[in-house]
Amino acid sequence: MYSFLTSADKVPDVLPGVLAGAFGVQVSETDVSDSSDWETRNWDALVTCEYERLEGDLTWSLSVYEAKEAARNLSEEELAVLLSRGLNAPVFFAWGSELPWIRRVAQPGGGITLARVVDSNDDGTGFSIQGAESAIAGFPNVPVTHFSEVVRAFDIPTPVTDSVVPLGTSGELENVRGLLVNWERLCIRMRSDWPPSGWYSAEMYQEDLKLRDQLEVILEEVPDADRITAAVSALDAQYRELSVEDRGSALCAALEEEGIAMGGRPWYWQRRPAVLPWADA
């Protein structure tokens, strides 16, 4: 099943042809019906869509089903792109189950962006677009912004950490693992141009440095920590390679906190990423 939201016009009239083209079937082999209509459906259709009218910014909810006999098996993103093009309207679909309010948006002119979409009615019949990472066709008043929760939720493997403090470790080492994972992910983000969207806030960067402070403290309390200390040193070397010394001036300027006392802080507070990931915020 595929689930979409859209603001397109004349969806029941246009959608049969769009679905037929997308799945490589005849229009007669599709069925597009109101979710409450059980009398006039084509139960033999290879591709069906149940639609529901909504209130708010997004006016249609679409649930598409494909029989195994259909000519093409499409991913949700592939179908969203085809629907957006055929309906000449943005089509919203899921980004990830851990952040249900974040949705990917296929644009009729091409490209995918992200948007924050929330329920505007208690009964789930209306949706409001609170912001997007780039302008969305037909919604000129939606603020363009970045989503820190998407950056935090983006999966980044941590092979260095896994080699010395495996996943599933308990007790004090569990805390060590969490801090070491965070430090390794920062290094990987810096080396990979800040996935997933090339942006990282100064606040999140400051948080990473504070967690690095905690890692320094907790290592003194862990017995036989030689392998972990070696891993930290290896990641520190990566951080040095990917950063430049500026005595913390870029971070202070971004946070508008000129009173931050950087002079007495550890060496990593005196450095910044070679290319500032919050420069366009």
Side-chain angles (χ1 to χ4, degrees), residues 260-272:
I260 294 179
M262 291 292 185
R265 295 195 177 191
W267 62 271
Y268 41 85
W269 283 89
Q270 316 302 322
R271 304 182 69 84
R272 66 165 180 83

Side-chain angles (χ1 to χ4, degrees), residues 227-244:
R227 293 183 68 228
I228 300 174
T229 301
V232 173
S233 297
L235 294 174
D236 286 349
Q238 291 185 32
Y239 178 82
R240 283 191 175 92
E241 179 185 351
L242 297 163
S243 61
V244 295

Side-chain angles (χ1 to χ4, degrees), residues 200-209 239 271-273 278:
Y200 204 71
S201 73
E203 290 78 10
M204 288 190 292
Y205 184 75
Q206 181 189 43
E207 179 181 312
D208 290 335
L209 299 184
Y239 178 82
R271 304 182 69 84
R272 66 165 180 83
W278 56 80

Side-chain angles (χ1 to χ4, degrees), residues 56-98:
D57 294 332
L58 301 173
T59 51
W60 298 96
S61 171
L62 309 176
S63 298
V64 178
Y65 306 84
E66 170 202 11
K68 61 181 180 180
E69 294 85 4
R72 301 183 188 126
N73 184 17
L74 302 172
S75 69
E76 193 165 46
E77 180 174 323
E78 289 171 333
L79 182 55
V81 168
L82 293 173
L83 291 180
S84 179
R85 189 182 305 156
L87 295 171
N88 193 31
V91 171
F92 294 68
F93 57 111
W95 180 78
S97 59
E98 66 271 28

Side-chain angles (χ1 to χ4, degrees), residues 27-32 42-48 65-67 69:
V27 172
S28 60
E29 296 175 310
T30 69
D31 179 80
V32 176
N42 174 11
W43 295 102
D44 296 322
L46 297 180
V47 179
T48 64
Y65 306 84
E66 170 202 11
E69 294 85 4

Side-chain angles (χ1 to χ4, degrees), residues 214-227:
Q214 294 182 31
L215 180 59
E216 194 77 18
V217 172
I218 200 171
L219 280 179
E220 298 177 358
E221 304 170 359
V222 177
D224 301 322
D226 291 348
R227 293 183 68 228

Side-chain angles (χ1 to χ4, degrees), residues 5-245:
L5 300 171
T6 186
S7 58
D9 296 326
K10 302 178 180 178
V11 165
D13 298 328
V14 178
L15 202 53
V18 176
L19 290 174
F23 286 102
V25 300
Q26 300 297 315
V27 172
S28 60
E29 296 175 310
T30 69
D31 179 80
V32 176
S33 300
D34 188 289
S35 60
S36 62
D37 178 11
W38 295 91
E39 301 296 329
T40 62
R41 294 190 181 191
N42 174 11
W43 295 102
D44 296 322
L46 297 180
V47 179
T48 64
C49 176
E50 293 183 358
Y51 63 81
E52 182 180 354
R53 289 286 308 198
L54 302 173
E55 302 174 359
D57 294 332
L58 301 173
T59 51
W60 298 96
S61 171
L62 309 176
S63 298
V64 178
Y65 306 84
E66 170 202 11
K68 61 181 180 180
E69 294 85 4
R72 301 183 188 126
N73 184 17
L74 302 172
S75 69
E76 193 165 46
E77 180 174 323
E78 289 171 333
L79 182 55
V81 168
L82 293 173
L83 291 180
S84 179
R85 189 182 305 156
L87 295 171
N88 193 31
V91 171
F92 294 68
F93 57 111
W95 180 78
S97 59
E98 66 271 28
L99 300 177
W101 60 91
I102 297 294
R103 293 182 180 262
R104 288 177 287 174
V105 187
Q107 302 258 43
I112 303 285
T113 190
L114 295 178
R116 184 183 286 119
V117 180
V118 299
D119 293 345
S120 56
N121 296 334
D122 292 338
D123 58 3
T125 60
F127 294 91
S128 173
I129 307 171
Q130 291 190 334
E133 287 200 331
S134 59
I136 299 177
F139 295 95
N141 297 323
V142 169
V144 174
T145 185
H146 293 288
F147 302 133
S148 58
E149 65 264 46
V150 170
V151 176
R152 295 181 191 277
F154 187 76
D155 185 38
I156 297 178
T158 53
V160 173
T161 299
D162 294 346
S163 68
V164 294
V165 192
L167 183 65
T169 301
S170 59
E172 190 66 27
L173 286 178
E174 183 179 6
N175 296 329
V176 173
R177 175 181 167 81
L179 295 170
L180 193 57
V181 160
N182 191 78
W183 190 234
E184 183 171 3
R185 284 179 175 169
L186 176 62
C187 293
I188 293 172
R189 287 185 171 111
M190 294 170 71
R191 187 170 63 245
S192 307
D193 295 327
W194 307 97
S197 57
W199 171 86
Y200 204 71
S201 73
E203 290 78 10
M204 288 190 292
Y205 184 75
Q206 181 189 43
E207 179 181 312
D208 290 335
L209 299 184
K210 289 181 177 180
L211 292 174
R212 176 63 180 82
D213 289 343
Q214 294 182 31
L215 180 59
E216 194 77 18
V217 172
I218 200 171
L219 280 179
E220 298 177 358
E221 304 170 359
V222 177
D224 301 322
D226 291 348
R227 293 183 68 228
I228 300 174
T229 301
V232 173
S233 297
L235 294 174
D236 286 349
Q238 291 185 32
Y239 178 82
R240 283 191 175 92
E241 179 185 351
L242 297 163
S243 61
V244 295
E245 186 170 355

